[in-house]
Amino acid sequence: QVQLVESGGGLVQTGGSLRLSCAASGETISDYTMAWFRQAPGKERKFVAASRWSGDYTSYVDSVKGRFTISRDNAKNAVDLQMNTLQPEDTAVYYCAAGQRWGAGAVSYVASYDFWGQGTQVTVSS
C-alpha cells in the first residue's frame, strides 16, 4: 500500500506559479508510475502529467506542455509538479496518483492507478 499526501495548493493570479508536492509512504515509489490528475467542479478527473518509475520518461496533457513540469525524487519518495503561467482553466483539485503501468494511453487513464492522495485545491484568479 502506498499512502500519498499532496501539498502546495493555493490561490494565485493568472500568470503566476505554484509548486505542488506529493509525499509517499508505505512503499518506495521507485516501482511506480507517478502522476498528477485534476478535477474541476462538476467535471471528471483528468490526466495532467506522469513520470515513469525511474523518471526517464514523462508525459503531459497538451494543455500544460511547456508550462508544467513533473519531477520525482525516488530517494525522498516524493514527486512534484511545477506549474507556471497558470490560467483560470487550471483551477481544480489536483491529485497525486501511483500505478504500475506505463505506455501510450495507459498513463492518462484513472483506472491505471491504484493509489490516490486526498487532493489539493488550486485556484487561479483572472
Side-chain angles (χ1 to χ4, degrees), residues 34-122:
M34 299 300 296
W36 289 93
F37 284 72
R38 63 188 179 186
Q39 188 167 17
K43 301 288 183 63
E44 62 183 12
R45 193 169 297 188
K46 294 185 178 180
F47 171 75
V48 176
S51 171
R52 203 168 74 152
W53 35 88
S54 62
D56 53 347
Y57 288 100
T58 56
S59 178
Y60 297 90
V61 67
D62 285 347
S63 61
V64 308
K65 285 180 179 177
R67 300 190 298 125
F68 291 12
T69 303
I70 187 171
S71 60
R72 64 192 293 161
D73 187 335
N74 288 343
K76 294 182 178 179
N77 237 27
V79 60
D80 290 348
L81 184 69
Q82 176 67 41
M83 305 186 295
N84 298 327
T85 319
L86 283 160
Q87 302 297 315
E89 53 265 35
D90 295 317
T91 295
V93 177
Y94 283 70
Y95 295 91
C96 178
Q100 293 185 308
R101 298 182 65 186
W102 182 264
V107 293
S108 63
Y109 286 97
V110 169
S112 295
Y113 297 88
D114 304 302
F115 305 104
W116 294 84
Q118 82 289 348
T120 185
Q121 177 70 47
V122 172

